[in-house]
Amino acid sequence: MNKIMVIEDDIYLREELINTFAKKGYSVSSISSFDAPEKEILNNNPDLAVLDINLPGKSGFELCKWLKARASFPILILTARDTLSDELYALGLGADDFLTKPCHPDRLIARAERLLQTYGKVRNLIQVGDLVLDIDTYKVIWKNAHVVLSDTEGRILKVLLERYPELASKQELLIELWGSEEYVDENILQVNMTRLRKSLDSIGLRDMVQTVRGQGYRLEVSKP
Amino acid sequence: MNKIMVIEDDIYLREELINTFAKKGYSVSSISSFDAPEKEILNNNPDLAVLDINLPGKSGFELCKWLKARASFPILILTARDTLSDELYALGLGADDFLTKPCHPDRLIARAERLLQTYGKVRNLIQVGDLVLDIDTYKVIWKNAHVVLSDTEGRILKVLLERYPELASKQELLIELWGSEEYVDENILQVNMTRLRKSLDSIGLRDMVQTVRGQGYRLEVSKP
DNA sequence: CAATACCTTACATCAACTGTAAGTGTTTAT
DNA sequence: ATAAACACTTACAGTTGATGTAAGGTATTG
């Protein structure tokens, strides 16, 4: 069954939420510490996150934005802040739904299940800005165009997307793609960079892969 | 820009909705007759449908269910019926969001844009029951498993899914896949059926492709 | 039990992907 | 200005996976 992660600091509400989902048969986990919640959530790799806004430390808004840039599970915001501007802000950050407390358990369940169903179709996607990469098939979607990359091109783009907005060093790429940086001709990386750039060009993504002389490569993605 | 279709019988509200979306730069269309709205909507092929519930003739609920079985664009329900049971019913039918009138235009826009963004990633998918096929890459997703089919296998499955729940005749398949049914050895279809079945087996989809002796093949898909 | 329809496996051909090699272009430092 | 270092591009050949053909096996029907 699907894994749901509850990120809520009020202990009573948290237990109630866990109960609500557990009764429906979901495997539920929650945050044990709000010192570094990001890592804990990513490591848990849930199918859905239910997120409060008013948290100790990093706010739910920040967390939402941070997670959306890295992970591909849906985020449902559940908060007592019921103003329209909060809702608009959350949706703008990429939140997938926005419910206000108090919320009827049936509504919460129904909304959560809708998200799980929708995202069941889009598993294994990495999204950065307008760009989407399917890591099973290396299909790249951008605006209304798409192209299917070869295996090597796709693996390179995957590394670049995972490092974004940082650069990926030549060493990292050589190790990730060819197992070692020793005894591997750096030319193989250059050749495949050319190939990747050509493929991305074909759907209008010119100059997306930028060279950082002496260090590596970096993506330049226009924000949505 | 994205196409939005407004399905609302109250003429004043309809114009207001059209205006709201048009001002944001969307291409908006609406229903001209409620005699046979299904065909008109499908022909229009929008990126998003905004749907009222209380309509003359077929109700919005029925329409939602009918569309979800055939089309792949998101449906946002906008209605004056504000009970929880209405919302649960709509979400259960596959509606992607449920807003109640009166609704602030900014909220409507934000929710609509979120749906457009999410569904931008899932373009070119055929879904029947729990099964999803990406027609660009022929990736099949089922429950938590997936497999990428070869070109020929994928094209066969695509035809089978398009004909579902009817059968696809051998002639149809031969013509669609190899251009003609004359001078094409029927064995090539059998060979590739074996290959397709083997691939589907590998993710647990045993006996999904059924033979109808003397006629063709049919899918047996367990409903979600 | 024979005829028909369907299934399976092996094999050769073909196309796409990949790494190597060699040569060209660009940037940096002296 | 010029050489050295770094990066890019193109061509080529080996390898791999997909595809259609062929041949033989299995299942269903009357």
Side-chain angles (χ1 to χ4, degrees):
Chain A
M1 195 40 143
N2 283 312
K3 274 195 298 186
I4 297 179
M5 185 138 202
V6 172
I7 301 131
E8 162 69 61
D9 64 321
D10 179 295
I11 185 168
Y12 297 105
L13 185 49
R14 184 166 72 224
E15 288 304 316
E16 197 183 314
L17 288 172
I18 292 175
N19 234 301
T20 302
F21 287 114
K23 262 193 287 189
K24 279 281 174 181
Y26 292 101
S27 154
V28 195
S29 54
S30 62
I31 279 278
S32 57
S33 147
F34 286 89
D35 289 343
E38 302 95 332
K39 296 236 161 179
E40 203 176 336
I41 300 169
L42 275 193
N43 286 340
N44 197 277
N45 189 32
D47 298 300
L48 165 70
V50 176
L51 183 59
D52 188 20
I53 293 298
N54 292 310
L55 297 171
K58 216 168 198 175
S59 86
F61 287 134
E62 288 173 81
L63 215 46
C64 177
K65 187 177 173 187
W66 192 91
L67 288 169
K68 273 290 167 187
R70 275 150 253 262
S72 66
F73 52 79
I75 297 179
L76 188 159
I77 303 245
L78 179 62
T79 177
R81 296 170 63 156
D82 62 354
T83 70
L84 179 56
S85 67
D86 280 327
E87 178 171 343
L88 296 181
Y89 186 58
L91 293 173
L93 290 177
D96 294 275
D97 210 339
F98 183 95
L99 295 174
T100 52
K101 304 173 191 169
C103 175
H104 194 291
D106 290 346
R107 166 175 283 137
L108 178 61
I109 292 279
R111 294 276 180 168
E113 286 182 341
R114 192 187 59 73
L115 290 180
L116 287 169
Q117 213 209 327
T118 304
Y119 273 74
K121 304 178 207 170
V122 297
R123 248 172 300 124
N124 299 352
L125 300 186
I126 299 180
Q127 183 167 25
V128 169
D130 270 349
L131 192 84
V132 183
L133 174 71
D134 183 323
I135 60 176
D136 296 322
T137 60
Y138 299 128
K139 175 169 86 161
V140 179
I141 308 176
W142 184 69
K143 310 250 174 177
N144 283 314
H146 66 88
V147 64
V148 181
L149 303 177
S150 76
D151 204 62
T152 310
E153 295 169 36
R155 288 167 67 205
I156 293 177
L157 182 57
K158 175 165 177 269
V159 175
L160 292 175
L161 283 169
E162 284 168 350
R163 299 291 181 279
Y164 180 86
E166 307 300 315
L167 67 78
S169 73
K170 290 185 288 186
Q171 292 104 296
E172 279 179 304
L173 285 161
L174 287 171
I175 290 169
E176 183 75 29
L177 272 279
W178 291 276
S180 158
E181 57 164 321
E182 317 257 341
Y183 315 116
V184 179
D185 190 344
E186 206 177 286
N187 177 247
I188 188 60
L189 184 55
Q190 296 166 4
V191 169
N192 282 293
M193 277 298 173
T194 299
R195 288 172 178 156
L196 173 59
R197 282 173 168 147
K198 199 171 172 186
S199 296
L200 295 175
D201 262 22
S202 71
I203 56 167
L205 281 166
R206 199 164 300 272
D207 300 328
M208 202 186 82
V209 180
Q210 302 203 328
T211 306
V212 182
R213 192 181 171 84
Q215 300 189 63
Y217 298 86
R218 179 209 314 276
L219 288 187
E220 178 91 25
V221 180
S222 60
K223 279 285 165 188
Chain B
M1 196 38 145
N2 284 313
K3 274 194 298 184
I4 297 179
M5 184 139 203
V6 173
I7 301 131
E8 163 67 60
D9 64 322
D10 180 296
I11 184 165
Y12 295 106
L13 185 49
R14 184 166 71 223
E15 288 304 317
E16 198 183 312
L17 289 173
I18 292 175
N19 232 302
T20 302
F21 287 115
K23 263 194 287 191
K24 279 281 173 178
Y26 292 101
S27 155
V28 195
S29 53
S30 62
I31 278 278
S32 57
S33 147
F34 286 89
D35 289 345
E38 301 96 332
K39 296 234 158 176
E40 204 175 333
I41 300 168
L42 275 194
N43 287 339
N44 198 277
N45 190 30
D47 298 300
L48 167 69
V50 176
L51 183 61
D52 188 20
I53 293 297
N54 292 310
L55 297 171
K58 217 167 195 174
S59 87
F61 287 134
E62 288 172 81
L63 215 45
C64 176
K65 187 178 172 187
W66 193 90
L67 288 169
K68 273 291 167 187
R70 277 150 249 262
S72 66
F73 52 80
I75 297 179
L76 189 159
I77 302 243
L78 179 62
T79 178
R81 297 169 61 155
D82 63 352
T83 68
L84 178 56
S85 66
D86 280 326
E87 177 170 344
L88 297 181
Y89 187 58
L91 293 173
L93 291 177
D96 294 274
D97 210 339
F98 184 96
L99 296 173
T100 52
K101 303 170 190 171
C103 175
H104 194 290
D106 290 346
R107 168 176 281 136
L108 179 60
I109 291 280
R111 293 277 180 167
E113 285 181 341
R114 190 187 59 74
L115 290 181
L116 287 168
Q117 213 209 327
T118 303
Y119 273 74
K121 303 179 206 167
V122 297
R123 250 173 298 124
N124 299 353
L125 299 188
I126 299 181
Q127 183 168 26
V128 169
D130 270 349
L131 192 83
V132 183
L133 174 71
D134 183 323
I135 60 177
D136 297 323
T137 59
Y138 299 127
K139 175 169 83 159
V140 179
I141 307 175
W142 185 70
K143 310 251 174 175
N144 282 313
H146 66 86
V147 65
V148 181
L149 303 178
S150 76
D151 204 62
T152 310
E153 295 169 38
R155 288 167 66 208
I156 293 176
L157 182 57
K158 176 165 176 270
V159 174
L160 293 175
L161 282 169
E162 284 168 349
R163 299 290 182 279
Y164 180 84
E166 307 298 315
L167 65 79
S169 73
K170 290 185 289 186
Q171 291 104 299
E172 280 180 305
L173 285 161
L174 287 171
I175 291 170
E176 184 76 27
L177 272 280
W178 291 276
S180 158
E181 57 164 319
E182 319 255 343
Y183 316 116
V184 179
D185 189 344
E186 206 177 287
N187 176 246
I188 187 60
L189 183 55
Q190 295 166 3
V191 169
N192 283 291
M193 277 298 171
T194 299
R195 288 172 178 156
L196 173 58
R197 281 173 169 148
K198 198 170 171 187
S199 296
L200 295 176
D201 262 22
S202 72
I203 55 167
L205 281 166
R206 199 164 298 271
D207 300 328
M208 203 185 82
V209 180
Q210 301 204 327
T211 306
V212 181
R213 193 181 171 84
Q215 300 190 59
Y217 298 87
R218 179 211 312 278
L219 288 187
E220 179 90 25
V221 180
S222 60
K223 281 282 165 191

